[in-house]
Amino acid sequence: MRTDRLVAVLLLLQRREQVTAAEVARELEVSERTARRDLDALAMAGVPVYSTQGRGGGWRLVGGARTDLSGLTAGEARALFLVAGPAAAAAPAVRAALRKLVHALPEPFRAQAEAAASSLVTDPRQWGANRAEHRPPRFLGVLQDAVIRGVQVRLGYIDGNGTGTTRTVHPLGIVAKGPSWYLVTRTEAGRRTFRIDRVSSADPTDDPVNRPADFDLAGSWREIADEVERRRTPLEIQALCTPRGIGILRIGLGDRLDVGGTTTDGRIEVVIRGRDEYTLAGELAGLVEWVEVTGPPTVRAHLASIGNALVERYR
């Protein structure tokens, strides 16, 4: 809490030519004695602050000196530095810039900023996943710069079938999903999304991007992600699940599970999405203790077949 107060005192000194201990105390809702101790602590730590005595006296920054924190509290500054650590997912330029910012902070605040930079490790791998290191794709920096500058890009791209194409796109934003990066664009065919690790060339032009006035990257990505999920899991089945099994279904199925109302026998109606009937039947075969599939009949037939095969194998 004291670090936050010291930042607040420094910002108060920057806003006003002079402050008194009584004004600091009122502003921060502390005693005058605490306010004086904080002002003394700033001076002892090397912040160029001095006091004048007598009528009209108070505390000033020497020569109007400033440490521009843009109104950040100590907590907000620490939050920024969480992305600057050696194991953070931020780009090298971001980490370098934030480390330079450390040296612009007054001495009392540097220790916590530096501690924040080394306090967080980001491990994007799920348990059981391989240890392959996911590096940023080759053209990520070029495409990000084009988004920021608002210029069109001549894009070479290789699709999932290995077919190469070249087209001019209007870059609107970049999205990181897990270890993959995607470029959201506007093309002659409408909105398109490209996996950046499949980009074979990226040549920015001098032509400005035609960006829709109401474009929202987060909202657009939600629409794209929802559509991808619908294409990946086109099959829907209906089932009944015991209350005890709902938690297990949530863990195993995630967003592919929709929970409905409770039936007269206490079970819960659910809708489960999957890629195809047999794969989905295989997923649910081990959950027979909690789940009863009610439709479609073909999935029930697959479950019965799997059950017969298990009995035959292990009886």
Side-chain angles (χ1 to χ4, degrees):
M1 287 301 294
R2 192 185 188 201
T3 304
D4 287 334
R5 286 205 319 272
L6 292 178
V7 172
V9 172
L10 180 58
L11 294 174
L12 190 61
L13 284 164
Q14 291 181 163
R15 287 202 310 269
R16 305 178 188 178
E17 290 186 5
Q18 178 176 290
V19 296
T20 65
E23 289 171 338
V24 172
R26 284 196 301 273
E27 185 82 15
L28 304 185
E29 298 181 348
V30 297
S31 68
E32 285 193 34
R33 182 178 179 183
T34 297
R36 290 192 190 93
R37 283 204 304 265
D38 288 346
L39 288 160
D40 287 335
L42 285 176
M44 292 176 64
V47 177
V49 60
Y50 70 100
S51 64
T52 57
Q53 304 300 318
R55 186 180 179 85
W59 294 78
R60 291 173 174 264
L61 287 170
V62 174
R66 299 181 64 83
T67 300
D68 188 5
L69 299 179
S70 302
L72 291 177
T73 67
E76 290 166 340
R78 288 195 298 270
L80 275 178
F81 283 95
L82 283 173
V83 303
V94 174
R95 295 200 298 268
L98 287 173
R99 287 181 190 131
K100 290 177 181 177
L101 182 57
V102 169
H103 300 292
L105 296 173
E107 188 63 35
F109 317 133
R110 292 182 191 172
Q112 288 197 20
E114 290 171 342
S118 60
S119 67
L120 179 68
V121 169
T122 301
D123 184 355
R125 293 181 295 110
Q126 296 182 349
W127 294 110
N130 63 47
R131 296 183 177 274
E133 197 172 325
H134 300 286
R135 297 180 179 178
R138 176 183 173 189
F139 293 102
L140 176 61
V142 173
L143 294 172
Q144 188 173 29
D145 181 67
V147 172
I148 293 170
R149 293 193 295 120
V151 295
Q152 299 177 38
V153 173
R154 188 71 174 161
L155 193 74
Y157 191 73
I158 300 174
D159 65 19
N161 297 320
T163 304
T165 56
T166 303
R167 73 199 80 193
T168 298
V169 300
H170 297 247
L172 301 177
I174 291 174
V175 175
K177 183 173 177 61
S180 300
W181 294 82
Y182 296 87
L183 175 68
V184 180
T185 73
R186 187 173 178 274
T187 71
E188 291 182 353
R191 185 180 64 189
R192 286 289 309 276
T193 303
F194 300 92
R195 264 183 53 168
I196 297 180
D197 59 354
R198 292 180 180 168
V199 172
S200 57
S201 63
D203 300 310
T205 71
D206 293 327
D207 299 321
V209 164
N210 184 359
R211 185 184 183 91
D214 59 349
F215 178 75
D216 173 64
L217 179 59
S220 182
W221 179 252
R222 283 194 297 271
E223 294 174 1
I224 293 167
D226 289 345
E227 177 60 27
V228 170
E229 285 298 325
R230 282 193 293 271
R231 291 201 302 266
R232 289 180 67 247
T233 57
L235 175 66
E236 287 190 354
I237 69 166
Q238 297 76 44
L240 297 173
C241 182
T242 65
R244 182 181 174 190
I246 288 293
I248 297 170
L249 285 184
R250 290 190 192 279
I251 293 171
L253 300 174
D255 291 341
R256 294 191 290 133
L257 173 70
D258 291 325
V259 179
T262 303
T263 62
T264 55
D265 63 1
R267 291 184 295 176
I268 300 168
E269 296 175 334
V270 296
V271 174
I272 299 168
R273 294 183 300 280
R275 183 172 301 174
D276 60 75
E277 293 180 348
Y278 188 79
T279 301
L280 199 48
E283 284 186 277
L284 298 176
L287 303 177
V288 65
E289 181 179 352
W290 304 285
V291 178
E292 178 189 353
V293 173
T294 57
T298 48
V299 176
R300 290 174 59 91
H302 282 308
L303 283 165
S305 176
I306 292 170
N308 291 333
L310 287 170
V311 170
E312 184 67 25
R313 175 65 58 87
Y314 295 108
R315 67 181 176 181

